[in-house]
Amino acid sequence: MTSKSLNIVLGVGGGIAAYKVASLVRLLKESGNDVRVVPTPSALKFVGTATWEALSGNPVVSQVWDNVAEVPHVSIGKNADLVIVAPATADLMSRAAHGAANDLLTNVLLTATCPIVYAPAMHTEMWQNPATQKNVSTLRAHGNVVLEPAVGRLTGSDSGPGRMLEPEEIVAAALALVSAQIRDLVGRQIVITAGGTRENLDPVRFIGNRSSGKQGIALALAARDRGADVTLICANVTAQIPSGIKTVFVESGAELKNAVDAIASQSDVVVMTAAVADFAPAHVSDTKIKKADDGSAPTIELVRTPDILASLVAERKPGQFIVGFAAETGDSQASVLEHGRAKLARKGCDALVVNDVTGNHAFGSDDNEVTILLKDDAREVHIPRASKSDIAHALWDLVAPALS
Ligand code: CTP
């Protein structure tokens, strides 16, 4: 359990398991935390305001129209170190997954940038319904933790998966999440580029690449969880972006460069995971390029694109840490790592994450194997096959201590 006192928001959904959540408030208070209970209006039909106020020692409101002067729909979420939602009903998770803001609790869920843990409770049919499972996946993709419900007795005589975990289990899971967190990037401004650029040939065709953006998203999520203020610049990323991360969407290398230039000078760290096209068509046709009647194929003239990483290094502000990524293959000239070392020296960045793409395993996958090379350190930090989240944390473990 964490020793630091936390500001915990306990969101209570409208389910019969709300009565058990009263003891969850006690457990959280007894371990020295400040607890603010935010029930939904339906939750108050099961357990009333007086109970929550007496147990938490804090005022209880459930609508955005209460205590408006305190702007509770923003302040409660922003000040929280941890949000626990119990019982998380099917309706509440549906609203949260879709970004609804129709009561105070859903507003809090939209404004919180801390970890959010859901403890579902509902009948088995509701839990197993594809709509609910889709909402659970969406919440998880947004970076939230949705605990698996227990299997057991439900309201009435039926039993099965859908029973809320016991308060002790919810507290243990939620506090373990917070205490496991390293907060070594608090106050840091971090810019991460992700995905792959597209260079237009004509209104329907482009030169692109296979980068999915997943590693960039994992880095952004890990940095957010370690306390950083993160901006993710996404080039053609289709994956879900977790909450609490500012996002800028771009398509081409030129747009990516403009977006990076607009923010780099205010950043402590810039990580270039985006695969930037090295060449772009010299001319972009306004109309679709047609096949010639004589059967000939067009010749497309290409020009070099600006090297964004190189210009970041050239214009770096004092103390700024710049990371590049390199997808490499070994050849008759040099091994993957020899190419990586040469690229680190050529680019002048502080670290280069080298990825062996022989056989094409990394693109779109949820895991990878990399070696991190550092400019001022002869170590080569090899990360054997691991999730992109683990790789992200391994990189932050190296970057955070290097920040002045
Ligand atoms: N990069 C960049 N601007 C470019 C090309 C690449 O900022 N026009 C960045 C990438 O985001 C990555 C790093 O440079 O962080 C290395 O990319 P890579 O394509 O491996 O480097 P290149 O210099 O293009 O080298 P190569 O000739 O091996 O393709």
Side-chain angles (χ1 to χ4, degrees):
M1 277 204 185
T2 174
S3 53
K4 180 177 161 271
S5 162
L6 301 168
N7 289 326
I8 299 179
V9 172
L10 183 56
V12 186
I16 183 64
Y19 83 92
K20 287 192 184 177
V21 173
S23 60
L24 214 153
V25 184
R26 292 272 303 269
L27 290 170
L28 293 170
K29 291 278 289 179
E30 279 165 10
S31 40
N33 303 295
D34 187 61
V35 182
R36 180 90 197 233
V37 182
V38 183
T40 62
S42 338
L44 292 176
K45 297 193 178 192
F46 291 96
V47 181
T49 304
T51 304
W52 301 123
E53 288 192 342
L55 289 173
S56 69
N58 275 321
V60 169
V61 290
S62 67
Q63 292 287 17
V64 282
W65 310 114
D66 304 323
N67 288 356
V68 174
E70 288 175 24
V71 201
H73 73 290
V74 178
S75 63
I76 296 176
K78 279 177 88 171
N79 294 332
D81 298 309
L82 170 68
V83 178
I84 302 174
V85 181
T89 60
D91 174 68
L92 181 51
M93 288 196 292
S94 166
R95 289 189 290 128
H98 291 87
N102 45 5
D103 56 19
L104 182 58
L105 179 54
T106 43
N107 277 270
V108 168
L109 294 171
L110 282 178
T111 50
T113 53
C114 61
I116 303 178
V117 182
Y118 290 83
M122 66 198 74
H123 280 276
T124 303
E125 293 77 5
M126 295 173 85
W127 171 250
Q128 291 176 339
N129 189 288
T132 304
Q133 288 303 310
K134 197 168 171 200
N135 292 330
V136 169
S137 303
T138 303
L139 289 171
R140 286 178 175 153
H142 290 175
N144 305 293
V145 172
V146 182
L147 301 171
E148 286 297 316
V151 179
R153 176 89 188 269
L154 305 166
T155 322
S157 57
D158 48 348
S159 89
R163 182 183 160 94
M164 193 178 77
L165 293 174
E166 292 307 315
E168 291 78 5
E169 295 173 292
I170 298 170
V171 170
L175 293 187
L177 189 77
V178 181
S179 61
Q181 271 197 322
I182 312 158
R183 306 275 298 170
D184 53 2
L185 294 175
V186 173
R188 299 294 183 190
Q189 302 289 328
I190 294 183
V191 177
I192 299 164
T193 66
T197 58
R198 288 181 183 176
E199 304 300 335
N200 286 343
L201 277 163
D202 67 15
V204 292
R205 304 183 181 93
F206 57 82
I207 298 175
N209 61 69
R210 293 174 192 272
S211 179
S212 66
K214 285 185 177 176
Q215 185 62 72
I217 293 174
L219 276 158
L221 183 56
R224 179 204 76 176
D225 287 348
R226 293 167 87 135
D229 187 340
V230 185
T231 302
L232 185 65
I233 303 176
C234 292
N236 310 297
V237 170
T238 49
Q240 296 262 14
I241 313 295
S243 60
I245 293 167
K246 282 171 252 151
T247 315
V248 179
F249 293 98
V250 299
E251 258 196 56
S252 65
E255 287 171 9
L256 182 66
K257 180 161 171 32
N258 286 341
V260 170
D261 287 349
I263 195 170
S265 64
Q266 303 122 52
S267 311
D268 300 299
V269 184
V270 183
V271 185
M272 288 290 302
T273 68
V276 187
D278 290 320
F279 311 100
H283 309 286
V284 182
S285 172
D286 290 338
T287 52
K288 189 180 169 196
I289 301 168
K290 296 282 186 199
K291 290 192 286 291
D293 292 338
D294 63 4
S296 65
T299 300
I300 294 161
E301 189 193 343
L302 298 174
V303 290
R304 287 281 291 268
T305 55
D307 189 324
I308 304 170
L309 185 59
S311 55
L312 277 169
V313 170
E315 289 152 29
R316 118 178 33 220
K317 70 165 190 177
Q320 190 176 51
F321 198 97
I322 301 174
V323 183
F325 268 66
E328 297 287 347
T329 52
D331 53 31
S332 57
Q333 309 288 311
S335 69
V336 166
L337 283 186
E338 283 164 347
H339 278 305
R341 276 264 162 231
K343 190 169 283 184
L344 177 66
R346 199 164 66 241
K347 297 265 185 178
C349 51
D350 300 285
L352 189 75
V353 182
V354 182
N355 181 197
D356 182 350
V357 288
T358 315
N360 223 355
H361 298 305
F363 297 112
S365 151
D366 289 326
D367 53 25
N368 201 359
E369 179 171 354
V370 300
T371 302
I372 303 174
L373 305 177
L374 299 157
K375 180 163 67 94
D376 298 327
D377 188 331
R379 271 182 308 160
E380 294 183 348
V381 183
H382 180 69
I383 323 273
R385 191 146 282 277
S387 69
K388 289 188 172 172
S389 166
D390 287 349
I391 291 172
H393 279 289
L395 180 65
W396 294 128
D397 287 346
L398 291 169
V399 174
L403 299 176
S404 50

